[in-house]
């Protein structure tokens, strides 16, 4: 949208702004860098479309990924980008304050990566404390968006015969399936089908070789439905700063 188009949307009742948070980290040999950025953007747009009165802000692509020197965690692998936690939290706060200034009344953080969920919570609480006097806007850290991928979606996959070891914690079957369902171009499907299972030494915890877009769509549906319900409740009733309840 142009600035004037956005102004018209706000004046017509678009009261909710979604700030999708991604991150740029390695995901082994079969999933491209930046998966969280792409996934957060696609899912945020799906959520906004179902809400009807929401718009999506640009994706936050720079997030804390651990120590740079000496490198820790994902920073041990090429392509990962990390910023200080305090910088990240100030960035989120500034973005939310800008959206509030333009007239949005419900500002929602959705984070596709587990490492900064606590930062989302701190920022939402900080903003709501600062905004309490005039009551013009509230912020929500929608932790349920991420929680869905950690419990209900995993349970769905287990019911279909996939083991926890295969589903994995990072770049495994669950991760790859979600990417195939949101943007298959980020998955090196041919190499994945023909290559060996990657190891922890390659930055992977899980086995993505049996991942499919059909499996990923199970997770996408859960994420979108859970998020839409939580944001609708937040807009209607003024929910707490965080919501982490995800349906089983």
């Amino acid at each position: 949208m142009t600035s004037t188009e956005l102004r018209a949307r706000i004046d017509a009742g678009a009261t909710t702004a979604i700030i999708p948070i991604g991150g740029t980290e390695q995901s082994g040999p079969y999933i491209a860098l930046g998966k969280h950025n792409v996934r957060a953007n696609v899912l945020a747009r799906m959520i906004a479309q179902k809400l009807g009165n929401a718009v999506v802000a640009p994706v936050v692509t720079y997030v804390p990924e651990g120590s740079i020197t000496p490198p820790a965690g994902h920073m041990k692998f090429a392509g990962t980008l990390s910023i200080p936690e305090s910088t990240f939290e100030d960035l989120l706060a500034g973005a939310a304050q800008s959206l509030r200034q333009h007239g949005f009344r419900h500002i929602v953080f959705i984070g596709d990566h587990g490492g900064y969920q606590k930062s989302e919570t701190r920022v939402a609480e900080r903003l709501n404390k600062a905004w309490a006097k005039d009551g013009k806007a509230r912020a929500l850290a929608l932790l349920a968006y991420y929680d869905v991928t950690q419990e209900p979606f995993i349970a769905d996959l287990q019911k279909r015969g996939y083991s926890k070891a295969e589903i994995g914690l990072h770049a495994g079957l669950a991760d790859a399936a979600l990417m195939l369902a949101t943007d298959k171009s980020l998955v090196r499907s041919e190499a994945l089908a023909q290559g060996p299972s990657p190891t922890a030494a390659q930055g992977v915890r899980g086995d993505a070789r049996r991942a499919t877009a059909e499996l990923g769509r199970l997770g996408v549906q859960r994420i979108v439905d859970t998020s839409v319900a939580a944001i609708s409740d937040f807009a209607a009733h003024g929910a707490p700063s965080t919501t982490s309840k995800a349906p089983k």
Side-chain angles (χ1 to χ4, degrees), residues 105-160:
R105 298 296 169 248
H106 311 111
I107 297 159
V108 182
F109 299 116
I110 61 169
D112 205 68
H113 181 342
Y116 48 65
Q117 300 291 306
K118 290 182 179 179
S119 285
E120 289 179 59
T121 300
R122 282 194 293 267
V123 173
E125 290 174 346
R126 170 175 143 196
L127 291 171
N128 287 331
K129 184 177 180 180
W131 296 346
K133 290 183 180 179
D134 62 26
K136 289 182 179 179
R138 283 186 61 81
L140 173 68
L142 186 58
L143 306 187
Y145 168 98
Y146 180 76
D147 290 347
V148 167
T149 66
Q150 303 305 295
E151 294 183 17
F153 180 42
I154 301 305
D156 289 338
L157 295 174
Q158 287 181 297
K159 288 175 184 176
R160 285 160 176 77

Side-chain angles (χ1 to χ4, degrees), residues 13-31:
T15 58
T16 299
I18 299 172
I19 300 177
I21 310 166
T24 305
E25 65 179 17
Q26 69 82 28
S27 288
Y30 300 134
I31 303 177

Side-chain angles (χ1 to χ4, degrees), residues 53-227:
N53 66 338
V55 301
V56 180
V59 179
V60 177
T61 62
Y62 294 89
V63 308
E65 291 283 2
S67 171
I68 298 174
T69 306
H74 296 303
M75 276 303 303
K76 295 178 181 178
F77 301 89
T80 302
L81 303 175
S82 186
I83 65 171
E85 193 172 75
S86 59
T87 302
F88 173 68
E89 292 184 7
D90 286 345
L91 187 158
L92 294 185
Q97 288 164 345
S98 298
L99 292 166
R100 175 181 178 271
Q101 178 64 31
H102 298 316
F104 288 101
R105 298 296 169 248
H106 311 111
I107 297 159
V108 182
F109 299 116
I110 61 169
D112 205 68
H113 181 342
Y116 48 65
Q117 300 291 306
K118 290 182 179 179
S119 285
E120 289 179 59
T121 300
R122 282 194 293 267
V123 173
E125 290 174 346
R126 170 175 143 196
L127 291 171
N128 287 331
K129 184 177 180 180
W131 296 346
K133 290 183 180 179
D134 62 26
K136 289 182 179 179
R138 283 186 61 81
L140 173 68
L142 186 58
L143 306 187
Y145 168 98
Y146 180 76
D147 290 347
V148 167
T149 66
Q150 303 305 295
E151 294 183 17
F153 180 42
I154 301 305
D156 289 338
L157 295 174
Q158 287 181 297
K159 288 175 184 176
R160 285 160 176 77
Y162 301 97
S163 69
K164 275 199 170 182
E166 186 176 12
I167 292 166
L169 297 174
H170 181 74
L173 182 139
D175 220 351
L178 285 172
M179 283 317 310
L180 288 169
T182 50
D183 188 340
K184 65 181 181 180
S185 70
L186 270 69
V187 181
R188 305 298 184 253
S189 297
E190 186 174 340
L192 181 61
Q194 298 177 2
S197 175
T199 66
Q202 294 175 293
V204 176
R205 298 177 68 185
D207 187 344
R209 290 178 294 175
R210 292 203 292 165
T212 66
E214 182 181 4
L215 291 173
R217 283 191 283 271
L218 297 172
V220 167
Q221 192 66 51
R222 279 194 173 274
I223 292 168
V224 172
D225 289 348
T226 297
S227 299

Side-chain angles (χ1 to χ4, degrees), residues 19-54:
I19 300 177
I21 310 166
T24 305
E25 65 179 17
Q26 69 82 28
S27 288
Y30 300 134
I31 303 177
L33 294 158
K35 70 177 183 191
H36 287 302
N37 301 325
V38 173
R39 196 157 69 201
N41 187 47
V42 170
L43 293 173
R45 290 176 180 276
M46 294 175 70
I47 292 165
Q49 286 177 346
K50 289 198 74 171
L51 287 168
N53 66 338

